[in-house]
PDB file of all heavy atoms in Angstrom:
ATOM      1  N   THR A 156      37.263  15.020  17.746  1.00 90.00           N
ATOM      2  CA  THR A 156      38.425  15.214  18.631  1.00 90.00           C
ATOM      3  C   THR A 156      39.674  15.498  17.811  1.00 90.00           C
ATOM      4  O   THR A 156      40.493  16.339  18.178  1.00 90.00           O
ATOM      5  CB  THR A 156      38.635  13.981  19.508  1.00 90.00           C
ATOM      6  OG1 THR A 156      37.434  13.711  20.242  1.00 90.00           O
ATOM      7  CG2 THR A 156      39.773  14.181  20.483  1.00 90.00           C
ATOM      8  N   LEU A 157      39.800  14.806  16.678  1.00 83.00           N
ATOM      9  CA  LEU A 157      40.927  15.053  15.780  1.00 83.00           C
ATOM     10  C   LEU A 157      40.883  16.481  15.263  1.00 83.00           C
ATOM     11  O   LEU A 157      41.904  17.154  15.201  1.00 83.00           O
ATOM     12  CB  LEU A 157      40.884  14.070  14.617  1.00 83.00           C
ATOM     13  CG  LEU A 157      41.927  14.224  13.523  1.00 83.00           C
ATOM     14  CD1 LEU A 157      43.316  13.951  14.093  1.00 83.00           C
ATOM     15  CD2 LEU A 157      41.641  13.280  12.375  1.00 83.00           C
ATOM     16  N   LYS A 158      39.698  16.976  14.944  1.00 77.00           N
ATOM     17  CA  LYS A 158      39.559  18.356  14.477  1.00 77.00           C
ATOM     18  C   LYS A 158      39.973  19.332  15.568  1.00 77.00           C
ATOM     19  O   LYS A 158      40.685  20.295  15.324  1.00 77.00           O
ATOM     20  CB  LYS A 158      38.113  18.617  14.051  1.00 77.00           C
ATOM     21  CG  LYS A 158      37.916  19.975  13.405  1.00 77.00           C
ATOM     22  CD  LYS A 158      37.152  20.885  14.322  1.00 77.00           C
ATOM     23  CE  LYS A 158      36.834  22.185  13.666  1.00 77.00           C
ATOM     24  NZ  LYS A 158      37.324  23.348  14.377  1.00 77.00           N
ATOM     25  N   MET A 159      39.547  19.047  16.800  1.00 72.00           N
ATOM     26  CA  MET A 159      39.889  19.914  17.911  1.00 72.00           C
ATOM     27  C   MET A 159      41.398  19.845  18.198  1.00 72.00           C
ATOM     28  O   MET A 159      42.015  20.846  18.558  1.00 72.00           O
ATOM     29  CB  MET A 159      39.107  19.526  19.178  1.00 72.00           C
ATOM     30  CG  MET A 159      37.596  19.655  19.009  1.00 72.00           C
ATOM     31  SD  MET A 159      37.047  21.222  18.348  1.00 72.00           S
ATOM     32  CE  MET A 159      37.375  22.295  19.717  1.00 72.00           C
ATOM     33  N   ASP A 160      41.979  18.656  18.011  1.00 68.00           N
ATOM     34  CA  ASP A 160      43.404  18.459  18.249  1.00 68.00           C
ATOM     35  C   ASP A 160      44.260  19.218  17.230  1.00 68.00           C
ATOM     36  O   ASP A 160      45.290  19.800  17.563  1.00 68.00           O
ATOM     37  CB  ASP A 160      43.739  16.964  18.213  1.00 68.00           C
ATOM     38  CG  ASP A 160      45.161  16.667  18.640  1.00 68.00           C
ATOM     39  OD1 ASP A 160      45.633  17.298  19.595  1.00 68.00           O
ATOM     40  OD2 ASP A 160      45.791  15.792  18.007  1.00 68.00           O
ATOM     41  N   THR A 161      43.796  19.234  15.977  1.00 61.00           N
ATOM     42  CA  THR A 161      44.591  19.905  14.925  1.00 61.00           C
ATOM     43  C   THR A 161      44.382  21.408  14.902  1.00 61.00           C
ATOM     44  O   THR A 161      45.207  22.127  14.356  1.00 61.00           O
ATOM     45  CB  THR A 161      44.247  19.336  13.538  1.00 61.00           C
ATOM     46  OG1 THR A 161      42.833  19.463  13.304  1.00 61.00           O
ATOM     47  CG2 THR A 161      44.652  17.886  13.416  1.00 61.00           C
ATOM     48  N   SER A 162      43.279  21.886  15.482  1.00 56.00           N
ATOM     49  CA  SER A 162      43.041  23.334  15.448  1.00 56.00           C
ATOM     50  C   SER A 162      43.745  24.056  16.617  1.00 56.00           C
ATOM     51  O   SER A 162      43.813  25.270  16.615  1.00 56.00           O
ATOM     52  CB  SER A 162      41.538  23.627  15.511  1.00 56.00           C
ATOM     53  OG  SER A 162      40.996  23.188  16.735  1.00 56.00           O
ATOM     54  N   ALA A 163      44.249  23.293  17.573  1.00 46.00           N
ATOM     55  CA  ALA A 163      44.922  23.921  18.729  1.00 46.00           C
ATOM     56  C   ALA A 163      46.311  24.383  18.395  1.00 46.00           C
ATOM     57  O   ALA A 163      46.931  24.040  17.471  1.00 46.00           O
ATOM     58  CB  ALA A 163      44.970  22.933  19.881  1.00 46.00           C
TER      59      ALA A 163
END
Side-chain angles (χ1 to χ4, degrees):
T156 304
L157 176 65
K158 187 251 185 237
M159 298 310 289
D160 188 40
T161 56
S162 64

